[in-house]
Amino acid sequence: MNKLNFRFWILVSIVAISGFSQGMLLPLVAVIFEKSGVSSSLNGLNATALYIGVLLVSPFMEMPLRKYGYKPIIIFGGGLVVISLALFPLWQTFWFWFVLRLLIGIGDHSLHFATQTWITSFSPAEKRGRNISLYGLFFGIGFATGPLMTPLVNVNEALPFIVSSILCLIGWVFVFSLKNELPEQEVRINTFFSTIKQFRKAIKYGWVAFLPPLCYGFLESSLNGIFPVYALRMDINVSSVSLVLSAFAIGSIITQLPLGMLSDQYGRRTILMTVLFIGFISFTAASFLEHSFVGLFIAILIAGMVVGSTFSLGISYMTDLVPRNLLPTGNLLCGIFYSVGSLSGPILGGLFIKFFQNISFFYFISALLLALSFIIYTFGKKAPVLTEQKN
């Protein structure tokens, strides 16, 4: 048990450091590019490199994980992130940084895929929600503290990258102390086509569980990328916008662990339906309160407290629905759906505020949450999985 705890805390610590580096890069690179005169459209394009990296590498991740085990994949991903962060100060050009962010996307996804799958594989069913919620909590804390590095750019432009790479290096070194394990498998994944076949099987069992990570990716990216544009058009000042966005992040951190534990007790489907419906109410309330800073802050805080855990709850829900030998595939698909949501959020959100100028942006989000709650209620009953696969 001590070995399991030691492994668990190292894995979630690695995830926290990864979240820290991701949270740092988004505002930091945006600020540096803005000061350098790079257009906002190119700035946004550069930010998508991370998610493009995730989607590019996803179909090729399962074969090496099944062949070599969890530890080598984490070491590969963490090492790639450390090297890429350290190279940022070397040459400040748009395409060089685009490639580095793409490599960080590949490294981060490798790291998250392996840690996520490892945690879900060794966590007992009665503690799975708790463990995955701690995983999400640590990532959220890291992601939320990352932007605090941005002011260091005023001291030296290279300093935030150096500090972040050193922190990632420290966490990366601890992974070498873990004993490697291979995922449970009944079939060998030797070709790209066999991976696609596994995708189909996992989607057959757990498609409904992949929708919460998709929704969370959409929600996170549209709130961070489109809400500021919408808010400025509504004459909400910049400082208020940043505080409202912080409220969502704070809310998700506060309730991440309690919601995970509640999902262990009352079931993932029940908790997901509940939080999505309360999220629908919160964002609908936000549409009526968007001219009141206090009202908007409270509404978004409550929204963060309920829907800020949909990614980790979705992962836990997936483990309830798919056979154990498909857990690597299921975790991989959670990451893919999250990335698709993250890429589509700013695009669809931008189109909404362009063509529906007289309708609140929050209606768009609340309608999505209501629809997802209804889908889980209708289609989300646990699929029949062999009991020996779920022990």
Side-chain angles (χ1 to χ4, degrees):
M1 185 57 69
N2 287 335
K3 287 183 179 179
L4 281 179
N5 283 335
F6 178 72
R7 179 205 297 164
F8 175 74
W9 289 112
I10 285 182
L11 293 178
V12 295
S13 299
I14 287 288
V15 167
I17 295 169
S18 171
F20 176 83
S21 65
Q22 285 186 41
M24 179 202 76
L25 277 178
L26 285 169
L28 178 63
V29 175
V31 167
I32 292 173
F33 275 159
E34 182 66 23
K35 287 183 177 181
S36 303
V38 176
S39 70
S40 58
S41 58
L42 285 176
N43 209 328
L45 174 63
N46 200 275
T48 64
L50 188 140
Y51 302 113
I52 293 170
V54 171
L55 292 175
L56 284 176
V57 76
S58 290
F60 309 100
M61 287 303 306
E62 190 170 359
M63 282 185 280
L65 180 77
R66 289 185 181 273
K67 184 176 180 180
Y68 301 111
Y70 303 108
K71 181 178 171 180
I73 304 301
I74 297 172
I75 289 172
F76 165 76
L80 194 57
V81 170
V82 170
I83 293 168
S84 300
L85 284 170
L87 289 175
F88 267 92
L90 191 66
W91 190 21
Q92 187 188 322
T93 64
F94 178 87
W95 288 113
F96 181 63
W97 280 18
F98 184 90
V99 171
L100 289 180
R101 290 177 95 166
L102 189 140
L103 291 174
I104 286 175
I106 292 172
D108 269 330
H109 187 55
S110 303
L111 187 153
H112 284 287
F113 169 51
T115 54
Q116 209 171 275
T117 309
W118 207 352
I119 290 171
T120 54
S121 68
F122 70 70
S123 297
E126 67 276 7
K127 289 187 177 180
R128 192 173 293 138
R130 167 192 171 273
N131 286 353
I132 293 297
S133 66
L134 281 170
Y135 168 92
L137 174 64
F138 271 65
F139 178 81
I141 291 172
F143 194 87
T145 54
L148 298 176
M149 298 291 288
T150 305
L152 291 180
V153 76
N154 297 319
V155 180
N156 187 300
E157 215 169 73
L159 188 58
F161 299 109
I162 294 169
V163 172
S164 183
S165 63
I166 290 171
L167 285 174
C168 288
L169 178 63
I170 292 169
W172 183 68
V173 168
F174 278 98
V175 179
F176 287 88
S177 65
L178 300 179
K179 183 181 179 181
N180 189 32
E181 288 183 357
L182 294 172
E184 184 174 318
Q185 50 193 329
E186 294 178 1
V187 293
R188 295 198 66 81
I189 309 298
N190 295 319
T191 67
F192 176 77
F193 293 106
S194 58
T195 297
I196 298 301
K197 188 177 179 181
Q198 291 293 94
F199 279 11
R200 288 177 182 169
K201 286 183 181 178
I203 289 171
K204 176 187 173 183
Y205 282 109
W207 67 270
V208 72
F210 302 132
L211 297 180
L214 175 77
C215 177
Y216 182 75
F218 179 91
L219 190 61
E220 185 184 57
S221 64
S222 60
L223 274 179
N224 286 292
I226 298 301
F227 172 67
V229 177
Y230 174 77
L232 291 174
R233 292 182 182 182
M234 296 291 293
D235 295 324
I236 301 172
N237 62 56
V238 176
S239 59
S240 295
V241 171
S242 62
L243 286 171
V244 167
L245 292 176
S246 297
F248 184 85
I250 292 166
S252 65
I253 289 170
I254 291 171
T255 56
Q256 190 87 223
L257 182 57
L259 284 174
M261 295 173 74
L262 284 172
S263 75
D264 287 330
Q265 187 172 355
Y266 298 105
R268 250 67 77 174
R269 176 172 171 262
T270 302
I271 299 300
L272 272 168
M273 286 190 301
T274 304
V275 298
L276 288 166
F277 188 75
I278 297 173
F280 155 71
I281 295 171
S282 301
F283 277 109
T284 302
S287 67
F288 293 103
L289 299 168
E290 56 190 21
H291 295 289
S292 165
F293 169 72
V294 174
L296 185 60
F297 183 90
I298 292 171
I300 298 300
L301 177 68
I302 294 170
M305 290 173 72
V306 287
V307 298
S309 300
T310 46
F311 180 75
S312 56
L313 286 172
I315 295 172
S316 301
Y317 190 32
M318 177 274 299
T319 64
D320 292 339
L321 297 180
V322 306
R324 286 187 66 87
N325 64 299
L326 287 175
L327 280 182
T329 314
N331 280 281
L332 194 55
L333 283 166
C334 283
I336 291 173
F337 274 72
Y338 168 77
S339 297
V340 170
S342 298
L343 283 170
S344 62
I347 297 169
L348 296 178
L351 289 172
F352 183 85
I353 65 171
K354 179 180 179 180
F355 292 109
F356 300 95
Q357 296 178 12
N358 297 322
I359 302 176
S360 173
F361 173 64
F362 295 119
Y363 282 142
F364 183 41
I365 295 175
S366 61
L368 174 68
L369 296 175
L370 181 63
L372 183 53
S373 181
F374 179 76
I375 289 169
I376 292 174
Y377 172 75
T378 307
F379 302 103
K381 292 182 180 178
K382 189 172 180 180
V385 178
L386 296 177
T387 53
E388 63 265 24
Q389 292 176 313
K390 303 298 293 177
N391 55 24

